[in-house]
Amino acid sequence: MRSCRDITALVSQGMDKQLSLGERLAIGVHVMMCSRCRNFQNQSQFIRKAALGYTEHLPKRLDKKA
Ligand SMILES: [Zn+2]
């Protein structure tokens, strides 16, 4: 059983890269039992989707900041 700290770290990493099957399983098993990590995962996915949707609509000139 992984700790909540491990799980939140894995969820954060999963936003940036593909996790291994073992890592995704560890998250899945943990969030079934832990509402705090489940909420963290939901929020992370919501924020990521919102952020991606936002950057897609930005004008190109804002991509590079001086
Ligand atoms: Zn937890």
Side-chain angles (χ1 to χ4, degrees), residues 2 6-28 41 45:
R2 294 187 189 231
D6 287 343
I7 296 304
T8 52
L10 279 178
V11 169
S12 296
Q13 287 170 30
M15 297 296 122
D16 298 324
K17 65 169 185 135
Q18 186 76 38
L19 297 176
S20 72
L21 181 61
E23 288 169 331
R24 280 182 285 145
L25 269 177
I27 293 173
Q41 186 186 37
Q45 287 170 348

Side-chain angles (χ1 to χ4, degrees), residues 54 58 60-66:
Y54 178 68
L58 282 177
K60 284 268 188 277
R61 62 190 164 83
L62 289 180
D63 287 348
K64 290 178 190 170
K65 279 190 176 172

Side-chain angles (χ1 to χ4, degrees), residues 3-4 7 30 34 36-37:
S3 70
C4 289
I7 296 304
H30 187 99
C34 179
R36 282 198 310 172
C37 288

Side-chain angles (χ1 to χ4, degrees), residues 35-55:
S35 61
R36 282 198 310 172
C37 288
R38 191 158 57 233
N39 287 337
F40 178 81
Q41 186 186 37
N42 287 339
Q43 283 170 16
S44 298
Q45 287 170 348
F46 175 80
I47 289 167
R48 181 165 188 262
K49 272 184 202 163
L52 284 176
Y54 178 68
T55 52

